[in-house]
Amino acid sequence: MVILGLVTIGHSGSSQGFVNLNFEHPILPLTPDEFRAVPITNALPGWTGYLYGSPVDRVAFNGLSLGGAQISLQNSNGFPPIQGNYSVLLQGSTPSFQGSAAVGQTGQIPADALSLRFWGGISQVSFKGQIIPHMAIGAGPNYTIYGGDISAFSGQTGELLFTAFPSRFWVLDNIQFSTEAIPEPRSLGLFALGGLLFGLRRWRNSSR
């Protein structure tokens, strides 16, 4: 597990800060309509949803699309959350429909933030329309931890956008701004190699 140095961001936050980055603050009760949809303002306070590039006012609740792009808030009654009680599921459409699913939020990145980290996965992360390259930097029991360098945008205000492209299926959770830089790829490779050698040594010892 990677130990993170985090910038604390409360749920209420300041008027310029990001909120509900772990998706744990829906406005309850969530009562789905006949299409299993709920208002996005209740399901994902602070967030804007986009399907096929256009804003939406409703998202699914424990929904799973069979072809079209979809945003869904998931709890334990649906696709298992990564952590806590809720995660967001972003599904791009099948290739024939060419539709993306995205969630975004406008706020100010902390002035001392060096990296953006999140659990799960996503096709593309951007801020103010600029793509933030990201890579796997760690893992938990049932998820991957991704991180990207956000230092060029520290202190700036804009929209942070997470997008799933067609044929992509991602669960997203626990978005964090960190005061730690993203490790160099070489360091990550050495860390992974060390873990592999350690596991091999334990396997050899146990087989004797």
Side-chain angles (χ1 to χ4, degrees), residues 19-31:
V19 298
N20 195 26
L21 295 180
N22 58 6
F23 307 114
E24 292 297 309
H25 302 284
I27 299 173
L28 303 175
L30 293 174
T31 305

Side-chain angles (χ1 to χ4, degrees), residues 3-90:
I3 305 299
L4 307 180
L6 301 179
V7 177
T8 302
I9 303 176
H11 167 55
S12 58
S14 66
S15 59
Q16 294 181 324
F18 291 92
V19 298
N20 195 26
L21 295 180
N22 58 6
F23 307 114
E24 292 297 309
H25 302 284
I27 299 173
L28 303 175
L30 293 174
T31 305
D33 59 20
E34 66 271 26
F35 303 106
R36 302 191 69 174
V38 294
I40 189 171
T41 51
N42 293 344
L44 302 173
W47 291 91
T48 300
Y50 302 91
L51 294 177
Y52 301 90
S54 298
V56 295
D57 59 5
R58 300 182 74 81
V59 297
F61 183 44
N62 289 329
L64 189 63
S65 173
L66 298 179
Q70 181 175 260
I71 303 165
S72 180
L73 180 68
Q74 301 283 329
N75 67 11
S76 58
N77 293 320
F79 201 88
I82 294 177
Q83 64 90 39
N85 296 313
Y86 301 95
S87 293
V88 165
L89 175 63
L90 295 176

Side-chain angles (χ1 to χ4, degrees), residues 4 9-11 13 18 21 37 46 50 53 61 64 68 89 93 100 114 116 124 126 134 142 147 199 203 206:
L4 307 180
I9 303 176
H11 167 55
F18 291 92
L21 295 180
Y50 302 91
F61 183 44
L64 189 63
L89 175 63
S93 71
S100 61
L114 298 179
L116 173 73
Q124 179 177 283
S126 64
H134 62 282
N142 62 340
W203 176 80
S206 64

Side-chain angles (χ1 to χ4, degrees), residues 124-147:
Q124 179 177 283
V125 184
S126 64
F127 181 72
K128 297 175 67 173
Q130 302 295 311
I131 295 175
I132 302 170
H134 62 282
M135 61 183 178
I137 60 173
N142 62 340
Y143 57 86
T144 300
I145 302 171
Y146 291 91

Side-chain angles (χ1 to χ4, degrees), residues 197-208:
L197 294 175
F198 178 74
L200 180 60
R201 182 178 178 184
R202 290 191 62 184
W203 176 80
R204 284 179 174 175
N205 290 339
S206 64
S207 63
R208 290 177 181 174

Side-chain angles (χ1 to χ4, degrees), residues 108-115 127 149-157 178:
Q108 184 180 45
I109 294 177
D112 56 353
L114 298 179
S115 63
F127 181 72
D149 184 351
I150 199 129
S151 58
F153 304 107
S154 298
Q156 296 185 30
T157 298
S178 173

